[in-house]
């Protein structure tokens, strides 16, 4: 068993422990945010954590109407800009909490008057010490080069904060069921995708809404663990040009989530099918799976904000197996020298 697979299989237990341990802390932070509502939000992250930060954007904007943007750390570290972020919520996301550019950006945001929050796995890290508030990911040690359980833990922590902040009863009730759905996703049979992706030269990964950051994470893992040229696109953005890439047999991994984006995603699926794409469709919706050349079934829907987390759980185990079929070791990705990447 690879380290990547081992750690991905730990994610359900990580999420269960995190939700229990962080409940009081997330509730207290939510009380503060309701008492002092931020004017806007900004996220600070790199790599898989940046995809997780994109998930926070969708949660904050849909549940709270809180406009959320992604920071460009080079604005601070290379250009020396001071940020005017008074009364904003600045959210930094990191597994290690050690990257100098994230730290510098968070410190600049704090000088600029922002409320600062770090979601980190390493509670004693420089990033955690620099933030006013910390929500620990509690993903235990993650030694694999490819982030898996820390990404899932980032999404669950953001969902828990959103539920507490909004007092959303439906989301709050669904969260305790998430570990069970993740365990079910570990048993999902996605083996039919392995020969398709083992032979692929390129891949499009398509999602929309809450699923788009997960599509971005899936594409990154295709590159990182399989040296597979994989690119993520919004189902809407795909039609503004990139769809021209698709011809007979071109593999497209489509995330069809049972939420408000589903009708549009199904329309895109039909367009891609008409162009000859080989559709790999990850969904719990029978109508979506019926459009697939390679259906990738997911457990029964839980909540629109949580279903994409379940999808990435199934994906991690599948892409680990694809790496082996392509002669790769996902624990030793080419050209990646270590777990922690320090950029300036």
């Amino acid at each position: 068993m690879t380290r990547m697979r081992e750690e991905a299989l730990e994610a359900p237990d990580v999420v269960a422990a995190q939700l229990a341990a962080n409940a009081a802390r997330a509730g207290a932070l939510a009380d503060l945010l309701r008492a002092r509502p931020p004017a806007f939000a900004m996220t600070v992250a790199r790599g898989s954590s940046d995809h997780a930060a994109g998930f926070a954007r969708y949660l904050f904007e849909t549940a709270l109407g809180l406009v959320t943007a992604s920071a460009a750390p080079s604005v601070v570290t290379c250009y020396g800009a001071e940020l005017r972020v008074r009364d904003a919520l600045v959210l930094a996301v990191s597994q290690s909490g050690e990257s100098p550019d994230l730290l510098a950006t968070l410190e600049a945001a704090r000088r600029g008057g922002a409320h600062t929050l770090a979601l980190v796995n390493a509670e004693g890290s420089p990033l955690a010490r620099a933030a006013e508030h910390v929500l620990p990911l509690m993903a235990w040690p993650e030694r694999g080069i490819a982030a898996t359980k820390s990404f899932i833990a980032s999404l669950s922590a953001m969902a828990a904060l959103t539920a507490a902040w909004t007092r959303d009863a439906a989301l709050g009730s669904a969260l305790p069921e998430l570990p069970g759905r993740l365990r079910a996703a570990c048993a999902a049979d996605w083996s039919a995708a392995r020969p398709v992706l083992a032979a692929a030269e390129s891949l499009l990964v398509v999602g929309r809404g809450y699923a788009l950051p997960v599509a971005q994470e899936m594409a990154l893992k295709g590159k990182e663990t399989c040296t597979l040229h994989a690119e993520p696109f919004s189902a809407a953005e795909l039609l503004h040009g990139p769809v021209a890439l698709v011809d007979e047999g071109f593999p497209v991994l489509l995330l069809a989530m049972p939420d408000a984006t589903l009708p549009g995603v199904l329309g895109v699926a039909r367009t891609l099918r008409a162009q000859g794409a080989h559709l790999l469709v990850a969904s719990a919706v029978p109508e979506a799976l019926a459009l697939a050349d390679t259906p990738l079934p997911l457990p029964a829907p839980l909540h629109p904000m949580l279903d994409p987390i379940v999808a990435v759980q199934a994906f991690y185990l599948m892409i680990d197996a694809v790496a082996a079929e392509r002669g790769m070791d996902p624990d030793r990705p080419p050209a990646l020298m270590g777990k922690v990447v320090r950029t300036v």
Side-chain angles (χ1 to χ4, degrees), residues 254-271:
L254 186 79
L255 308 182
M257 299 292 103
D259 66 9
T261 67
L262 182 62
V265 170
L266 292 178
V268 169
R270 295 185 186 100
T271 297

Side-chain angles (χ1 to χ4, degrees), residues 185-261:
C186 290
D189 184 5
W190 283 25
S191 59
R194 283 153 52 179
V196 178
L197 299 183
E201 295 182 0
S202 295
L203 172 71
L204 296 184
V205 188
V206 179
R208 196 171 184 190
Y210 304 124
L212 178 58
V214 166
Q216 293 168 333
E217 169 66 4
M218 290 175 173
L220 174 62
K221 287 300 182 286
K223 297 184 184 84
E224 183 180 22
T225 66
C226 299
T227 61
L228 172 61
H229 178 222
E231 297 298 336
F233 286 99
S234 159
E237 194 65 33
L238 184 72
L239 301 181
H240 288 265
V243 71
L245 292 170
V246 177
D247 55 13
E248 193 66 33
F250 194 106
V252 179
L253 173 54
L254 186 79
L255 308 182
M257 299 292 103
D259 66 9
T261 67

Side-chain angles (χ1 to χ4, degrees), residues 110-314:
R110 194 164 180 177
R111 290 195 302 272
H115 312 296
T116 53
L117 167 63
L119 268 65
V120 291
N121 200 33
E123 288 189 69
S125 65
L127 194 68
R129 293 195 300 269
E132 295 171 275
H133 309 283
V134 177
L135 278 180
L137 299 182
M138 298 186 179
W140 312 326
E142 188 176 57
R143 301 180 305 277
I145 298 295
T148 53
K149 60 181 178 175
S150 65
F151 178 77
I152 290 174
S154 298
L155 303 194
S156 62
M158 291 165 184
L161 175 60
T162 302
W165 192 351
T166 60
R167 294 175 169 156
D168 184 325
L171 180 57
S173 296
L175 275 164
E177 304 300 319
L178 179 57
R181 285 298 199 285
L182 293 172
R183 292 186 186 100
C186 290
D189 184 5
W190 283 25
S191 59
R194 283 153 52 179
V196 178
L197 299 183
E201 295 182 0
S202 295
L203 172 71
L204 296 184
V205 188
V206 179
R208 196 171 184 190
Y210 304 124
L212 178 58
V214 166
Q216 293 168 333
E217 169 66 4
M218 290 175 173
L220 174 62
K221 287 300 182 286
K223 297 184 184 84
E224 183 180 22
T225 66
C226 299
T227 61
L228 172 61
H229 178 222
E231 297 298 336
F233 286 99
S234 159
E237 194 65 33
L238 184 72
L239 301 181
H240 288 265
V243 71
L245 292 170
V246 177
D247 55 13
E248 193 66 33
F250 194 106
V252 179
L253 173 54
L254 186 79
L255 308 182
M257 299 292 103
D259 66 9
T261 67
L262 182 62
V265 170
L266 292 178
V268 169
R270 295 185 186 100
T271 297
L272 291 168
R273 190 175 180 87
Q275 287 187 218
H278 184 109
L279 282 181
L280 303 96
V281 179
S283 187
V285 180
E287 182 183 359
L289 294 173
L291 292 171
D293 299 287
T294 302
L296 305 175
L298 287 168
L302 177 59
H303 187 282
M305 293 180 178
L306 304 180
D307 293 331
I309 309 177
V310 177
V312 79
Q313 175 75 77

Side-chain angles (χ1 to χ4, degrees), residues 61-73:
E61 292 191 345
T62 60
L64 293 152
L66 182 67
V67 174
T68 304
S70 175

